[in-house]
Amino acid sequence: MTTFPEDSILVLVETTPSGGLAKSAAGLLGAASLVGTPVALLVRAPGAAADATQDAASLGAKHVLTAEPEGADLLLAVPAVDALAAAANLVRPDAVLISNSVNGRDVAGRFAARTRSALAIDAVGVSRDDEGIVAHHSVYGGAYNVDCAPTFGAPVITVREGSIDVRAEPVSPEIAPLDVPPSGVPTASIESFEEQAVTSTRPELRGAAKVVAGGRGLTSQEQFALVDQLADVLGAAVGASRAAVDAGWVPNSYQVGQTGISVSPQLYVALGVSGAIQHRAGMQTAKTIVAINKDPDAPIFEIADFGVVGDLFDVVPQLIASLSARKE
Amino acid sequence: MRIIVLMKEVPDTYGERKLNLETGLAERGASEAVLDEIGERALELALTQAASLEDAEITVVSMAPETATATLRKALAMGAGKLVHIADENLVGADLGLTAEVLAAAIRRTGFDLVIAGNLSTDGYGGVLPAMIAELLGVPYASALTTVDISSDRVSGTRETDGGVMTVAAPLPAVISITERFPAGRFPNFKGIMAAKKKPVETLTAADLDIDPEGLETPRSIMLAVSERPARSAGRKIVDEGDAGEKLAEFLIQNRLA
């Protein structure tokens, strides 16, 4: 029988539909390594759990528990919650870390409610004090920093994707299969699934180091291509303001802001984005902000490190030409 | 069909929002309070689908301070049939666990076939409450739906996650959450506003729901510290005189950003 370290941190690592570890795994295991010993839980469809164990080890999981609960690929959240409950029972961790993804939030919510654990959501960091694990949050669009901890017990913490830079050292893990008693809690079933094809060679918006975003100032879907061109020169991801999304120029998944994706890249270039507070809420933690807008009073200039008042259809082509020339 | 829509009052995101640096609580006076937009979309979905469902009753359930009644009445003016408002000073600053317990108890007390919520509120940005409530009620939960089809005994829809798009379904009773792909809520018209005045509003306390907000046997999440991030200040701003693209290229290269 495996024994787990006193300072175990249980990490639910997500896998992609094709069986690899999700991008969020590295940050979660990195965060766990800062405050204790990372113990990874892999939940896969029956017969598929072995695939990703070595990946988890290379990301620093000292122990890897593999669970193959019935229905893991056919039912929403509940099989993973059952696995997590069994793992927590076995490991007795100091905290449970889960990605703040759509699936992660569902599992975290159900698990916390079932086990009556304190839940902290969308953390951007974790630390340990005398009493236990503390979650650090950035709220109201990055305007406030808040630290939270449970009154007692191990907290369940969802971690914002792309927020943790620390990576744990690779280790040779102890791997053990986990027996998962099914809870029988009713859940929604998956009737069909279509994996989203990755068509772009550009970085993913979430967690990107550079982002070029376009707004209403691009004036049309055809003109929005200018955003793509600059993004390609900079090796950046493409984002958009709500106005550009509502106009139908780009898909919903491009939206940066309060109700879209929050990003904190090294560089954020806003083209024809006015900078409504909802948009700023999703990008103002960027290290360097550049804005081009013909309205000198656009609120985006209040937070821009470098602002250009001008016609983006003149400025951006010149910028692209200038950057391309220097690269050659 | 008994449909419950979860709604909340939030500080208007079009204004400045403030946290009290001593209590860590939202400064409700600092900005205008509005119904959260995603909740309005959830109500709009319920109102739209109600027409094709037998005996549809739409009840809005909200946990909010007493002062929120005025805001919540908008939901009645939009067309909801009834409001259940849990207002209790002892619930100020309630964490997610306590909030979920209170809402689940109110939903159970009201009776339900389907609970509809938004996927993420604009203030808390948590996105976990519907899952917690589903677990406490012991029913299925289909999250982040971008299309929804409700029939007398089943709910189905399209769900988008990071990995792809899926079709999901659950038997009723169930909880669902929707994304902002759904149409915005309708504006209440004069007739709706007048009718709202006669609609029932039930005000409950935690004690009515048999919940002790100060009970110490359940772990709660507490705030240890809150601080304001220094505001970003504007940097260099130039007006294009024909060479702004080149100047910007220089700035990016100097700062090793290109």
Side-chain angles (χ1 to χ4, degrees), chain B residues 110-123:
Chain B
T110 306
F112 72 104
D113 296 298
L114 180 65
V115 178
I116 308 178
N119 63 333
L120 284 169
S121 70
T122 52
D123 59 343

Side-chain angles (χ1 to χ4, degrees), chain A residues 81-165:
Chain A
V81 176
D82 294 350
L84 199 52
N89 211 13
L90 185 68
V91 176
R92 303 270 163 204
D94 282 351
V96 177
L97 303 189
I98 301 174
S99 172
N100 193 51
S101 61
V102 174
N103 287 323
R105 288 196 291 263
D106 290 359
V107 174
R110 275 196 180 268
F111 176 76
R114 187 183 295 183
T115 58
R116 293 292 197 276
S117 303
L119 176 57
I121 43 100
D122 197 27
V124 295
V126 289
S127 63
R128 189 186 270 275
D129 69 8
D130 299 342
E131 319 254 328
I133 306 298
V134 179
H136 305 275
H137 306 268
S138 170
V139 306
Y140 276 179
Y144 292 87
N145 296 325
V146 172
D147 298 343
C148 287
T151 47
F152 62 93
V156 178
I157 302 170
T158 71
V159 178
R160 185 183 295 181
E161 291 167 282
S163 68
I164 308 280
D165 295 327

Side-chain angles (χ1 to χ4, degrees), chain A residues 103 106 114 142 258 277 286, chain B residues 13 122 135 143 159 229 232:
Chain A
N103 287 323
D106 290 359
R114 187 183 295 183
Q258 180 77 38
I277 194 158
Chain B
T13 54
T122 52
E135 182 73 24
S143 61
R159 177 174 182 265
R229 247 177 92 106
R232 272 193 92 99

Side-chain angles (χ1 to χ4, degrees), chain A residues 168-196:
Chain A
E169 291 290 320
V171 286
S172 55
E174 288 183 43
I175 301 164
L178 179 71
D179 185 35
V180 181
S183 62
V185 171
T187 186
S189 51
I190 301 167
E191 301 199 319
S192 70
F193 180 75
E194 194 181 320
E195 193 171 351
Q196 239 155 23

Side-chain angles (χ1 to χ4, degrees), chain A:
Chain A
M1 187 69 212
T2 319
T3 54
F4 294 89
E6 283 277 316
D7 67 348
S8 288
I9 306 294
L10 183 57
V11 176
L12 176 67
V13 290
E14 287 187 327
T15 52
T16 61
S18 47
L21 282 193
K23 270 191 180 171
S24 57
L28 286 173
L29 290 165
S33 74
L34 287 176
V35 292
T37 305
V39 176
L41 169 63
L42 270 168
V43 184
R44 298 285 295 160
D51 301 354
T53 46
Q54 287 314 316
D55 295 341
S58 69
L59 294 171
K62 188 81 186 67
H63 295 260
V64 181
L65 292 168
T66 57
E68 299 181 339
E70 214 46 59
D73 52 344
L74 302 169
L75 302 168
L76 289 184
V78 166
V81 176
D82 294 350
L84 199 52
N89 211 13
L90 185 68
V91 176
R92 303 270 163 204
D94 282 351
V96 177
L97 303 189
I98 301 174
S99 172
N100 193 51
S101 61
V102 174
N103 287 323
R105 288 196 291 263
D106 290 359
V107 174
R110 275 196 180 268
F111 176 76
R114 187 183 295 183
T115 58
R116 293 292 197 276
S117 303
L119 176 57
I121 43 100
D122 197 27
V124 295
V126 289
S127 63
R128 189 186 270 275
D129 69 8
D130 299 342
E131 319 254 328
I133 306 298
V134 179
H136 305 275
H137 306 268
S138 170
V139 306
Y140 276 179
Y144 292 87
N145 296 325
V146 172
D147 298 343
C148 287
T151 47
F152 62 93
V156 178
I157 302 170
T158 71
V159 178
R160 185 183 295 181
E161 291 167 282
S163 68
I164 308 280
D165 295 327
V166 178
R167 295 293 177 261
E169 291 290 320
V171 286
S172 55
E174 288 183 43
I175 301 164
L178 179 71
D179 185 35
V180 181
S183 62
V185 171
T187 186
S189 51
I190 301 167
E191 301 199 319
S192 70
F193 180 75
E194 194 181 320
E195 193 171 351
Q196 239 155 23
V198 182
T199 50
S200 169
T201 52
R202 289 193 198 104
E204 215 178 297
L205 181 55
R206 206 184 293 273
K210 293 176 190 173
V211 174
V212 180
R216 200 192 302 274
L218 269 305
T219 68
S220 73
Q221 185 162 17
E222 293 70 46
Q223 309 266 42
F224 199 91
L226 201 53
V227 177
D228 299 333
Q229 288 164 22
L230 179 58
D232 288 341
V233 174
L234 290 168
V238 173
S241 72
R242 181 157 181 179
V245 171
D246 284 349
W249 302 338
V250 288
N252 210 281
S253 56
Y254 281 45
Q255 188 177 322
V256 171
Q258 180 77 38
T259 51
I261 290 175
S262 286
V263 295
S264 33
Q266 294 293 311
L267 172 66
Y268 190 86
V269 184
L271 304 180
V273 173
S274 67
I277 194 158
Q278 295 91 336
H279 186 80
R280 274 155 47 200
M283 47 66 76
Q284 64 187 357
T285 54
K287 198 140 179 260
T288 301
I289 297 172
V290 169
I292 305 173
N293 201 304
K294 63 181 173 193
D295 173 11
D297 299 321
I300 193 81
F301 287 127
E302 291 163 22
I303 56 166
D305 298 282
F306 195 106
V308 177
V309 182
D311 186 338
L312 62 94
F313 298 111
D314 294 333
V315 179
V316 177
Q318 190 182 56
L319 172 62
I320 290 172
S322 188
L323 290 173
S324 310
R326 287 174 208 235
K327 266 188 187 167
E328 280 163 12

